[in-house]
Amino acid sequence: MTDNALSESLIRARHRLEKALIDAGRPTTDATLLAVSKTKPASMIRQAYAAGQQAFGENYLQEALDKQTELADLADIEWHFIGPLQSNKTRAVAENFAWVHSVDRLKIAKRLSEQRPNDSAPLNVCLQVNISKEETKSGVLPEALGELAAEVARLPRLRLRGLMAIPAPADTLEAQRQPLAALREAFERLKSDLPDAPLDTLSMGMSDDLEAAILEGATQVRLGTAIFGARDAR
Ligand SMILES: *Cc1c(COP(=O)(O)O)cnc(C)c1O
């Protein structure tokens, strides 16, 4: 992709998000765009950053760390870890990311809190919810969410910011909205159960379901393909 094509697809993605917000009757500042750059080279992230994009999502730790090294001169770039997280990887994530969207068990949350460096701001976390209850998917089951959230909210070096989900694919807008609505309801329940937690983030909506997610209250959409094109092989 040329520099120009990338900045154009970024502009298109921003317009799409804005239109979805307007169509949903929401202020255009109500949701932010996370650019999901997995499998894409550091040079493309640099171009997107030059075109005004600051927040990037990565799924694979080593790949992300390599790109962070290459892009170390971009001082205020914001890195979000959004992939499955095993306990032997938590230290590198705690040390090198501002956000983690994929926390789904207490053991991982505790390690992230213990390993977050004291000279960094607390790590922002979203709990990943297996909202479509797919057997093979990561995420805490909705019925176990309340207990996990209460424990995570108490960890000193984490800030519990919200919920994330990757619903099962669906063909129609109405079918897409169902699990997203369930996530929104879980988020509302959490806010009333944990009034002191800084819960402000509903991380849902990808290239295929952005409009449905915005209708259901997403505050952060995670776009990969729509910005960077089809994924490259790893
Ligand atoms: C890859 C990925 C995305 C982006 O998906 P697209 O369909 O390419 O927009 C969003 N969220 C997560 C967790 C991902 O792994």
Side-chain angles (χ1 to χ4, degrees), residues 36 38 59 82 164 166 206-208 222-226 231:
V36 176
K38 59 170 177 261
N59 293 58
I82 64 174
M164 184 274 253
I166 310 172
M206 316 195 336
S207 296
D208 287 335
R222 309 180 308 269
L223 294 188
T225 316
R231 228 98 64 204

Side-chain angles (χ1 to χ4, degrees), residues 112-146:
L112 289 170
S113 181
E114 282 159 14
Q115 294 167 344
R116 181 67 169 174
N118 279 321
D119 57 356
S120 303
L123 182 63
N124 297 297
V125 303
C126 291
L127 300 179
Q128 182 173 353
V129 183
N130 185 353
I131 200 71
S132 305
K133 298 194 179 193
E134 294 171 278
E135 271 183 23
T136 57
K137 284 284 171 67
S138 10
V140 58
L141 287 170
E143 51 270 32
L145 174 62

Side-chain angles (χ1 to χ4, degrees), residues 52-128:
Q53 179 65 31
Q54 197 177 357
F56 294 87
E58 290 281 344
N59 293 58
Y60 309 109
L61 181 62
Q62 192 52 53
E63 179 194 323
L65 295 176
D66 291 345
K67 289 186 229 177
Q68 289 177 353
T69 303
E70 266 189 73
L71 299 169
D73 58 307
L74 307 181
D76 57 354
I77 193 167
E78 188 178 274
W79 293 102
H80 295 229
F81 191 81
I82 64 174
L85 184 48
Q86 295 119 18
S87 40
N88 61 341
K89 306 271 175 76
T90 51
R91 180 175 300 280
V93 170
E95 289 176 352
N96 294 287
F97 288 80
W99 282 76
V100 180
H101 292 228
S102 45
V103 173
D104 64 358
R105 49 196 195 278
L106 186 59
K107 180 183 174 194
I108 294 286
K110 280 184 171 161
R111 290 175 66 94
L112 289 170
S113 181
E114 282 159 14
Q115 294 167 344
R116 181 67 169 174
N118 279 321
D119 57 356
S120 303
L123 182 63
N124 297 297
V125 303
C126 291
L127 300 179
Q128 182 173 353

